[in-house]
Amino acid sequence: DQLPGGKYSNDENALFIGGLPYDCTTNDLYSLFSPFGAIPANGVKAMLGQDGQCSGIGFVNFLEPTAVEAAVAALNGAAMPHGKTLDVKVK
């Protein structure tokens, strides 16, 4: 049982996202995935390369497994404007 606002560790409801554009930010990822369900504080991260740009991968943790399923169903394989395809899967 986790207190609200406490430290949060949740690998079973975590998603790996690949195929992100180089200008993707953590805020962009949050905006893309938050409609699917509740995300804890610090539950979204776009990974940056040494140049400060997105490395093309990110992670999202949801509070509920139903949100994970909905996000994967809706976004896995989605074509991005930059020509890449999103790879969304359970971490």
Side-chain angles (χ1 to χ4, degrees), residues 12-84:
E12 78 182 27
N13 292 328
L15 289 179
F16 165 86
I17 301 99
L20 295 170
Y22 296 113
D23 61 352
C24 184
T25 66
T26 294
N27 286 342
D28 293 333
L29 265 188
Y30 181 83
S31 296
L32 183 62
F33 284 89
S34 61
F36 296 101
I39 298 172
N42 300 320
V44 179
K45 181 73 174 164
M47 304 306 289
L48 303 180
Q50 291 181 345
D51 59 3
Q53 291 187 310
C54 181
S55 65
I57 63 172
F59 299 93
V60 177
N61 287 6
F62 284 105
L63 293 174
E64 299 293 331
T66 52
V68 172
E69 294 164 14
V72 170
L75 296 176
N76 187 44
M80 299 301 290
H82 66 289
K84 290 186 179 180

